[in-house]
Coordinates of all heavy atoms in Angstrom, one line a residue:
A937 N -10.7 37.8 47.3 CA -11.9 38.1 48.1 C -13.1 38.6 47.3 O -14.2 38.1 47.5 CB -11.5 39.1 49.2
R938 N -12.8 39.4 46.3 CA -13.9 40.0 45.5 C -14.5 38.9 44.6 O -15.8 38.8 44.5 CB -13.3 41.1 44.6 CG -14.3 41.8 43.7 CD -15.4 42.5 44.6 NE -16.4 43.1 43.9 CZ -16.7 44.4 43.7 NH1 -15.8 45.3 44.3 NH2 -17.7 44.8 43.1
K939 N -13.7 38.1 44.0 CA -14.3 37.0 43.1 C -15.1 36.1 43.9 O -16.2 35.7 43.5 CB -13.1 36.3 42.4 CG -13.6 35.3 41.4 CD -12.4 34.8 40.6 CE -12.8 34.0 39.4 NZ -13.1 34.7 38.2
L940 N -14.6 35.7 45.1 CA -15.4 34.7 45.9 C -16.7 35.4 46.4 O -17.8 34.7 46.3 CB -14.6 34.3 47.1 CG -13.4 33.4 46.8 CD1 -12.5 33.1 48.0 CD2 -13.9 32.0 46.2
H941 N -16.7 36.6 46.8 CA -17.9 37.3 47.2 C -18.9 37.4 46.1 O -20.0 37.1 46.2 CB -17.6 38.7 47.8 CG -18.8 39.5 48.1 ND1 -19.4 40.3 47.1 CD2 -19.6 39.5 49.2 CE1 -20.5 40.8 47.6 NE2 -20.7 40.3 48.8
D942 N -18.4 37.9 44.9 CA -19.3 38.1 43.8 C -19.9 36.8 43.3 O -21.0 36.8 42.7 CB -18.5 38.7 42.6 CG -18.2 40.2 42.9 OD1 -18.6 40.7 43.9 OD2 -17.4 40.8 42.1
E943 N -19.3 35.7 43.6 CA -19.8 34.4 43.2 C -20.6 33.7 44.3 O -20.9 32.5 44.2 CB -18.7 33.5 42.6 CG -18.1 34.0 41.4 CD -19.1 34.2 40.2 OE1 -20.0 33.3 40.0 OE2 -19.0 35.2 39.5
G944 N -20.9 34.4 45.4 CA -21.8 33.9 46.4 C -21.2 33.3 47.6 O -21.9 32.8 48.5
H945 N -19.9 33.3 47.8 CA -19.3 32.8 49.0 C -19.4 33.8 50.1 O -19.5 35.0 49.8 CB -17.8 32.4 48.7 CG -17.6 31.3 47.8 ND1 -17.6 30.0 48.2 CD2 -17.5 31.2 46.4 CE1 -17.5 29.2 47.2 NE2 -17.4 29.9 46.1
D946 N -19.3 33.4 51.3 CA -19.4 34.3 52.5 C -18.0 34.6 52.9 O -17.3 33.8 53.5 CB -20.1 33.5 53.6 CG -20.4 34.4 54.9 OD1 -19.9 35.6 54.9 OD2 -20.9 33.8 55.8
V947 N -17.5 35.8 52.5 CA -16.2 36.2 52.6 C -16.0 37.2 53.9 O -16.7 38.1 54.0 CB -15.7 37.0 51.4 CG1 -14.3 37.5 51.6 CG2 -15.7 36.0 50.2
V948 N -15.0 36.8 54.7 CA -14.6 37.6 55.8 C -13.3 38.3 55.4 O -12.3 37.6 55.1 CB -14.4 36.8 57.1 CG1 -13.9 37.7 58.2 CG2 -15.7 36.1 57.5
A949 N -13.3 39.6 55.3 CA -12.1 40.3 54.7 C -11.3 40.9 55.8 O -11.8 41.7 56.7 CB -12.6 41.4 53.8
H950 N -10.0 40.6 55.8 CA -9.1 41.0 56.9 C -7.8 41.6 56.2 O -7.2 41.0 55.3 CB -8.7 39.8 57.7 CG -7.7 40.1 58.8 ND1 -6.4 39.8 58.6 CD2 -7.8 40.6 60.0 CE1 -5.7 40.2 59.7 NE2 -6.6 40.7 60.6
N951 N -7.3 42.6 56.8 CA -6.1 43.3 56.3 C -5.5 44.1 57.4 O -6.2 44.6 58.3 CB -6.4 44.1 55.1 CG -5.1 44.4 54.3 OD1 -4.6 43.6 53.6 ND2 -4.7 45.7 54.3
R952 N -4.2 44.4 57.4 CA -3.6 45.2 58.5 C -4.0 46.7 58.3 O -4.1 47.4 59.3 CB -2.1 45.1 58.5 CG -1.4 45.6 57.3 CD 0.1 45.4 57.4 NE 0.7 45.9 56.2 CZ 2.0 46.0 56.0 NH1 2.8 45.8 57.0 NH2 2.4 46.4 54.9
S953 N -4.3 47.1 57.1 CA -4.8 48.5 56.9 C -6.3 48.5 56.8 O -6.9 47.7 56.0 CB -4.1 49.1 55.7 OG -4.6 48.5 54.5
T954 N -6.9 49.4 57.5 CA -8.4 49.4 57.5 C -9.0 49.8 56.2 O -10.1 49.4 55.9 CB -8.9 50.4 58.6 OG1 -8.4 51.7 58.3 CG2 -8.4 49.9 60.0
E955 N -8.3 50.6 55.3 CA -8.8 51.0 54.1 C -9.2 49.8 53.2 O -10.3 49.8 52.5 CB -7.8 51.9 53.3 CG -7.5 53.2 54.0 CD -6.4 53.0 55.1 OE1 -5.7 52.0 55.1 OE2 -6.3 53.9 55.9
K956 N -8.4 48.8 53.1 CA -8.7 47.6 52.3 C -9.9 46.9 52.8 O -10.7 46.3 52.1 CB -7.5 46.7 52.2 CG -6.3 47.3 51.6 CD -6.4 47.3 50.1 CE -5.1 47.8 49.4 NZ -5.3 47.9 48.0
V957 N -10.0 46.8 54.1 CA -11.2 46.2 54.8 C -12.4 47.0 54.5 O -13.5 46.4 54.1 CB -11.0 46.0 56.3 CG1 -12.2 45.4 56.9 CG2 -9.7 45.1 56.6
D958 N -12.3 48.3 54.5 CA -13.5 49.1 54.2 C -13.9 49.0 52.8 O -15.1 48.9 52.5 CB -13.2 50.6 54.5 CG -13.0 50.9 55.9 OD1 -13.6 50.2 56.8 OD2 -12.4 52.0 56.3
E959 N -13.0 48.8 51.8 CA -13.3 48.6 50.4 C -14.1 47.3 50.3 O -15.1 47.2 49.6 CB -12.0 48.5 49.6 CG -11.3 49.8 49.4 CD -10.0 49.6 48.6 OE1 -9.8 48.6 47.9 OE2 -9.2 50.6 48.8

Side-chain angles (χ1 to χ4, degrees):
R938 182 64 185 249
K939 187 172 188 86
L940 290 172
H941 173 270
D942 289 352
E943 296 299 321
H945 293 273
D946 185 359
V947 174
V948 177
H950 175 265
N951 200 72
R952 67 181 175 169
S953 66
T954 60
E955 297 83 18
K956 297 284 186 181
V957 177
D958 289 339
E959 288 173 22

